[in-house]
């Protein structure tokens, strides 16, 4: 089951809803188990070192490797991995507010944008140099530069990434992301950074907002506030990135099919990206009620876990292990580059 996320090859021409039930039920069971295990982590150690979506991929991949589900499960698994992921990405728009970008100030915004773009380009080139497939190299680059698992999950359907590539990218990025959370306070102390500088460093390098809080926490409240703000602006770059990749992908297809070249930009963009942008615009204008935005955020997270379960069920761990060493090298090198660029940003701002 190495079909691409956007490929309909696993689905019959006329698909009855009941044919989705076995695969969706299995994906749902894996997702539920992942959520329970995440709760157990929180109960035992106070925080989820492995998020539910990472656990869902690992559990699904273990099931797939030990005993591959029969063909009856394929349509539902494909639906979970593709359709549910696209719905999750669309609903992410409800969490985006473009006004937060303006509040950060132009110099800081410009520094964050330059750091993210530079990290994506450098990471992608390193990935290609060591022989990673183009799509996997792009997933790793976007994951490291923006927001880890969420960025990988959002970019995957846009570039038609393979299940194996998505699972491998998320798995290794998540593990090294934990290392960054643990190491960052020690790095900040070693470099004699102020709480403000340490917070900005955390916001520029750590993947998820909760992880930023965990990394900046030992540096004080100022570090947490600065890190959260920087991280928020960094996450907001996911929208322009996904939109840009979607347009590039569509234009590439249009160039291969000249008859489609006259389509407008809106016709070239996938519906779930249009939905993402529409929700983000409505939320930014303050027109999205809190009673809608909050449930949309929760539902987006749950659908992402379900999608990751579906992805995992399409991945054989033996194929992932073959790409492992190269991915680890690229993720590590990418994090080093991101850290160096972040420190350069702090020096330009006179904070280091």
């Amino acid at each position: 089951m190495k079909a691409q996320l956007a490929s309909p090859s696993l689905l019959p021409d006329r698909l009855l809803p009941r044919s989705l039930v076995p695969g969706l039920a299995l994906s749902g069971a894996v997702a539920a188990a992942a959520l329970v295990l995440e709760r157990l982590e929180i109960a035992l150690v106070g925080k989820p070192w492995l998020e539910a979506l990472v656990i869902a991929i690992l559990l699904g991949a273990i099931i797939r490797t030990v005993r591959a589900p029969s063909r009856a499960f394929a349509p539902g698994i494909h639906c979970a991995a593709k359709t549910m992921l696209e719905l999750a990405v669309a609903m992410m728009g409800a969490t985006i507010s473009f006004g937060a970008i303006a509040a950060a100030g132009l110099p800081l915004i410009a520094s964050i944008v330059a750091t993210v773009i530079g990290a994506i380009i450098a990471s992608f080139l390193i990935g290609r140099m060591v022989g990673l497939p183009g799509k996997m190299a792009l997933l790793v680059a976007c994951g490291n530069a923006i927001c880890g698992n969420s960025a990988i999950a959002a970019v995957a359907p846009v570039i038609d990434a393979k299940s194996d590539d998505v699972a491998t990218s998320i798995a290794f990025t998540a593990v090294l992301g934990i290392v960054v959370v643990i190491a960052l306070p020690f790095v900040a102390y070693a470099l004699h950074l102020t709480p403000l500088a340490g917070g900005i460093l955390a916001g520029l390098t750590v993947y998820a907002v909760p992880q930023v809080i965990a990394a900046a926490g030992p540096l004080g409240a100022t570090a947490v506030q600065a890190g959260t703000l920087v991280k928020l602006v960094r996450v907001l770059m996911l929208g322009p990135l996904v939109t840009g990749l979607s347009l590039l992908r569509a234009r590439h297809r249009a160039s291969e099919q000249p008859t489609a070249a006259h389509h407008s930009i809106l016709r070239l963009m996938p519906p779930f990206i249009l939905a993402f942008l529409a929700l983000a615009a409505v939320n930014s204008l303050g027109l999205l009620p809190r009673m809608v935005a909050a449930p949309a955020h929760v539902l987006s997270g749950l659908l992402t876990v379900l999608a990751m379960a579906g992805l995992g069920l399409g991945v054989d761990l033996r194929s992932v292990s073959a790409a492992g060493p190269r991915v680890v090298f690229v993720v590590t090198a990418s994090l080093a580059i991101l850290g160096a660029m972040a420190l350069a940003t702090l020096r330009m701002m006179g904070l280091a």
Side-chain angles (χ1 to χ4, degrees):
M1 297 177 64
K2 296 182 182 180
Q4 293 181 337
L5 293 183
S7 171
S9 59
L10 290 178
L11 303 175
D13 293 334
R14 297 182 64 83
L15 182 62
L16 296 174
R18 64 173 177 268
S19 64
L20 298 177
V21 172
L24 281 176
L26 178 59
S27 300
V30 172
L35 290 167
V36 170
L37 289 174
E38 182 186 67
R39 288 294 179 184
L40 286 176
E41 282 187 273
I42 295 174
L44 292 174
V45 297
K47 63 184 68 175
W49 291 109
L50 283 180
E51 296 176 334
L53 60 87
V54 179
I55 298 173
I57 283 184
L58 295 176
L59 289 178
I62 291 172
I63 293 173
R64 169 68 175 83
T65 304
V66 174
R67 184 174 180 178
S70 67
R71 292 180 62 85
F73 291 86
I77 290 174
H78 182 85
C79 178
K82 179 180 183 295
T83 306
M84 297 302 136
L85 182 56
E86 291 179 351
L87 286 173
V89 173
M91 290 185 180
M92 284 182 190
T95 67
I96 300 298
S97 175
F98 298 124
I101 298 179
L106 185 58
L108 181 57
I109 292 172
S111 299
I112 296 171
V113 171
T115 299
V116 169
I117 292 176
I120 290 176
I121 294 173
S123 300
F124 177 78
L125 292 177
I126 292 174
R128 296 299 287 148
M129 286 174 60
V130 301
L132 287 185
K135 292 179 181 179
M136 182 185 289
L138 184 58
L139 289 175
V140 171
C142 294
N144 274 342
I146 299 181
C147 51
N149 304 329
S150 298
I152 294 171
V155 169
V158 175
I159 64 174
D160 297 340
K162 294 181 179 179
S163 297
D164 288 355
D165 291 349
V166 178
T168 303
S169 302
I170 286 181
F172 289 106
T173 300
V175 171
L176 289 179
I178 294 172
V179 175
V180 174
V181 172
I182 297 173
L184 190 135
F186 296 99
V187 172
Y189 285 128
L191 296 176
H192 305 290
L193 297 181
T194 64
L196 175 61
I200 293 175
L201 179 63
L204 285 172
T205 55
V206 179
Y207 295 149
V209 173
Q211 291 180 331
V212 170
I213 295 173
L219 305 177
T222 300
V224 172
Q225 294 171 2
T228 302
L229 175 61
V230 171
K231 179 59 188 173
L232 176 61
V233 177
R234 191 170 151 215
V235 170
L236 290 177
M237 287 197 65
L238 184 60
L241 172 70
V242 171
T243 303
L245 288 175
S246 177
L247 290 174
L248 288 174
R249 182 79 173 167
R251 291 189 181 280
H252 175 70
R253 289 173 175 169
S255 66
E256 296 177 345
Q257 302 174 5
T259 56
H262 65 280
H263 287 167
S264 66
I265 289 179
L266 293 180
R267 290 288 299 276
L268 291 174
M269 295 177 66
F272 73 95
I273 296 299
L274 294 176
F276 172 93
L277 293 174
L279 279 173
V282 171
N283 189 46
S284 298
L285 293 172
L287 301 177
L288 194 66
R290 179 67 180 173
M291 65 178 60
V292 174
H297 175 64
V298 174
L299 184 57
S300 174
L302 293 175
L303 287 175
T304 302
V305 176
L306 176 62
M308 294 304 103
L311 284 171
L313 289 167
V315 173
D316 191 318
L317 288 174
R318 288 164 290 195
S319 63
V320 171
S321 62
R326 287 179 297 168
V327 177
V328 170
F329 173 79
V330 174
V331 173
T332 304
S334 177
L335 282 172
I337 291 172
L338 184 62
M341 295 182 71
L343 288 173
T345 296
L346 290 177
R347 290 193 179 94
M348 289 177 59
M349 297 174 65
L351 296 175

